[in-house]
Amino acid sequence: MINRIIRQIQRYKGWFGGAAALCIFLGLYIGLLASPPDYYQGELVRIMYVHVPLAHTSTMAYSVLFFGSIWYLWKRDPLVDNMCQASASICALFTTLALITGSIWAKPTWNTWWTWDPRLVSFTVLLLILGGYIMLRRLVDDPVQGGRYAAILAIVGGIDLPIIKFSVEWWRTLHQPMSFSTRGVSISEDILVPLTLMSIGCWLLFAYMVMVRTQILYLTDLLHAKKGRFLSQTHFSQTTP
Amino acid sequence: MPFFKTIRWVVWKDLISEWRTRETMSSMLFFALIVILVFSFSFSMDQDAARQLIAGIIWVAFTFTGIIGLGKSFTSELQNDCLESLQMCPAPKGAIYLGKVAANFLFMLSVEILLFPLFVLFFNLDVIEAVGTLLIIFSLATLGLAAVGTLFSALTVQIRAREVMLPVLLLPLAIPVMIAAVEATRGALSGDPFSFYSQWIQLLIIFDIIFTVVSFWLFEFILDS
């Protein structure tokens, strides 16, 4: 018996993928070709249409992981654990891409690849926590125990990330104020339309990727359970009618 | 078993086994000595440079030695299946956690108090007026490290590559403690008025409260199997 939610995912995930492709295509077209260059940054501003949505999506992905982990510790639903595992690795992907595009953008505007800006530091720490999460899952032999441990790490990390951001912000402002604030310009419609399209596109892409990955993880676990390798057999108890 | 009695017994058990083996404290002390020596070789500091860097050096040494102590806290339970006895023990799991935090806090703080005179000696620090404030800062930061560290020590003890995973998981989460402890220590050592760095002490207190409560709640899910 395959879980009802997995069947729903199988039926509807294509729509999410298609909508994500459409939004990202339109957003990239308007952002990279149709919209005017920025008054201050010129053509350089165009990387914003890629960078900002990626960064937003990675914070959203971590909140999915955070609340999913609380849900998992509470209800012990193995499907939620699969979803957490899926969103962690995809969150790591989006965070890495956000850091790389941010670095590329920082070189011409701030004249440096890297600076100890609070946002950069907290994204790097986010990436470190996600790396720890992915490593932790691989190092525990019992998958149920691994899911529980990973959920604990995700919850502690989720509570810690705002404190990290806050403390780094405090630390930097006491030492040296940020010398550049190029984004202080109020956003006009020319920027807002492609930015919104790209954000929605990235969110949909994240949802689509999580769906596919959750499905794969769920089916892998189910296969192991059927082969009898899985001593706890949680998936059986969840799925048999 | 009542809650506070359990805490007392866990602390007592850890202190007795430490007194009989002297394993944790001695390894922490020797490691910390080596760290101090490595730092003094690698920077070759004069008086001014020392004053700039010393707060960071102190906290790198304290954090790394703390991680050694935290790791030992639960690996020592692996002998004779003590960990399983703790899991099966009909005591509240939160009390076991608080007992372990208290024991780790005591080990870490005593090593710090033993080491600090060596820092004063090797780096020619002038600390007479600041001793009281420094003790408060050390206690608060050590409590924060012990609160998160005990949780992750219990978590990593049952997985493969535990010696590597404890610092990998713990250090990113301990960043606020590190920043606040270094800034407060620097302020206290350079003789600034208290109001200049009291905000960092507030941050330490907030971190301690949040993470003691959160870890207290999450610890149940680690020992539960």
Side-chain angles (χ1 to χ4, degrees), chain A residues 76 141 148-149 160 171, chain B residues 158 160 173 183 221 224:
Chain A
R76 300 288 166 92
D141 294 319
R148 215 167 55 221
Y149 286 3
D160 209 12
W171 175 54
Chain B
Q158 298 184 64
R160 279 178 277 136
L173 298 168
E183 293 295 324
F221 297 102
D224 161 46

Side-chain angles (χ1 to χ4, degrees), chain B residues 74-108:
Chain B
F74 277 90
T75 42
S76 60
E77 303 285 357
L78 288 176
Q79 288 171 12
N80 304 328
D81 293 330
C82 295
L83 195 64
E84 275 168 31
S85 316
L86 276 182
Q87 278 173 337
M88 287 187 292
C89 170
K93 301 282 185 286
I96 296 177
Y97 167 74
L98 290 181
K100 278 285 184 188
V101 171
N104 285 331
F105 173 76
L106 287 177
F107 292 150
M108 286 160 74

Side-chain angles (χ1 to χ4, degrees), chain B residues 29-92:
Chain B
L29 269 173
F30 275 108
F31 181 76
L33 268 177
I34 294 164
V35 171
I36 296 178
L37 283 180
V38 167
F39 270 122
S40 55
F41 295 147
S42 52
F43 286 130
S44 65
M45 285 173 282
D46 55 8
Q47 199 76 18
D48 289 338
R51 199 159 294 132
Q52 285 287 314
L53 296 171
I54 192 67
I57 293 175
I58 287 177
W59 278 103
V60 170
F62 285 179
T63 314
F64 286 175
T65 40
I67 284 175
I68 288 187
L70 289 166
K72 285 242 174 198
S73 162
F74 277 90
T75 42
S76 60
E77 303 285 357
L78 288 176
Q79 288 171 12
N80 304 328
D81 293 330
C82 295
L83 195 64
E84 275 168 31
S85 316
L86 276 182
Q87 278 173 337
M88 287 187 292
C89 170

Side-chain angles (χ1 to χ4, degrees), chain A residues 198-209:
Chain A
M198 281 299 287
S199 295
I200 295 173
C202 279
W203 291 344
L204 287 169
L205 180 65
F206 167 71
Y208 173 70
M209 288 169 90

Side-chain angles (χ1 to χ4, degrees), chain A residues 4-235:
Chain A
R4 196 168 45 85
I5 299 170
I6 294 292
R7 284 162 184 269
Q8 298 292 325
I9 287 178
Q10 175 63 23
R11 186 175 300 162
Y12 293 113
K13 68 177 183 192
W15 290 100
F16 281 84
L22 191 69
C23 284
I24 289 176
F25 178 77
L26 269 178
L28 279 181
Y29 174 76
I30 301 175
L32 297 187
L33 298 171
S35 76
D38 185 61
Y39 180 73
Y40 295 103
Q41 295 194 22
E43 303 290 341
L44 285 176
V45 78
R46 297 190 194 281
I47 196 165
M48 177 183 75
Y49 301 120
V50 182
H51 171 71
V52 174
L54 285 174
H56 277 178
T57 311
S58 79
T59 45
M60 198 194 65
Y62 198 90
S63 8
V64 170
L65 174 61
F66 177 67
F67 290 110
S69 299
I70 294 177
W71 184 264
Y72 175 67
L73 282 189
W74 186 26
K75 295 281 186 191
R76 300 288 166 92
D77 183 350
L79 186 62
V80 177
D81 184 41
N82 291 338
M83 189 206 69
C84 287
Q85 192 176 357
S87 38
S89 41
I90 295 162
C91 182
L93 172 72
F94 275 91
T95 311
T96 316
L97 288 176
L99 277 171
I100 293 172
T101 50
S103 197
I104 295 172
W105 194 14
K107 182 60 187 165
T109 48
W110 294 347
N111 198 24
T112 170
W113 293 107
W114 183 261
T115 163
W116 292 100
D117 169 68
R119 245 181 263 204
L120 290 176
V121 177
S122 34
F123 264 81
T124 317
V125 176
L126 172 63
L127 191 59
L128 289 177
I129 292 174
L130 288 167
Y133 183 98
I134 294 165
M135 277 166 81
L136 182 64
R137 292 213 74 126
R138 288 168 166 268
L139 289 172
V140 189
D141 294 319
D142 174 13
V144 177
Q145 199 186 24
R148 215 167 55 221
Y149 286 3
I152 290 170
L153 174 63
I155 293 171
V156 176
I159 295 166
D160 209 12
L161 278 169
I163 305 179
I164 292 172
K165 172 129 193 296
F166 168 76
S167 58
V168 177
E169 226 156 55
W170 228 7
W171 175 54
R172 294 318 292 181
T173 43
L174 284 184
H175 280 220
Q176 55 176 86
M178 276 294 302
S179 4
F180 297 94
S181 113
T182 37
R183 266 177 280 168
V185 201
S186 65
I187 292 181
S188 82
E189 217 166 278
D190 293 332
I191 293 177
L192 201 59
V193 171
L195 197 59
T196 319
L197 271 174
M198 281 299 287
S199 295
I200 295 173
C202 279
W203 291 344
L204 287 169
L205 180 65
F206 167 71
Y208 173 70
M209 288 169 90
V210 167
M211 282 175 177
V212 174
R213 187 100 186 101
T214 308
Q215 206 180 11
I216 293 171
L217 290 168
Y218 174 83
L219 292 175
T220 317
D221 282 355
L222 193 65
L223 191 65
H224 283 307
K226 296 228 171 192
K227 280 183 179 168
R229 282 191 206 156
F230 212 112
L231 287 175
S232 56
Q233 306 243 327
T234 38
H235 285 79

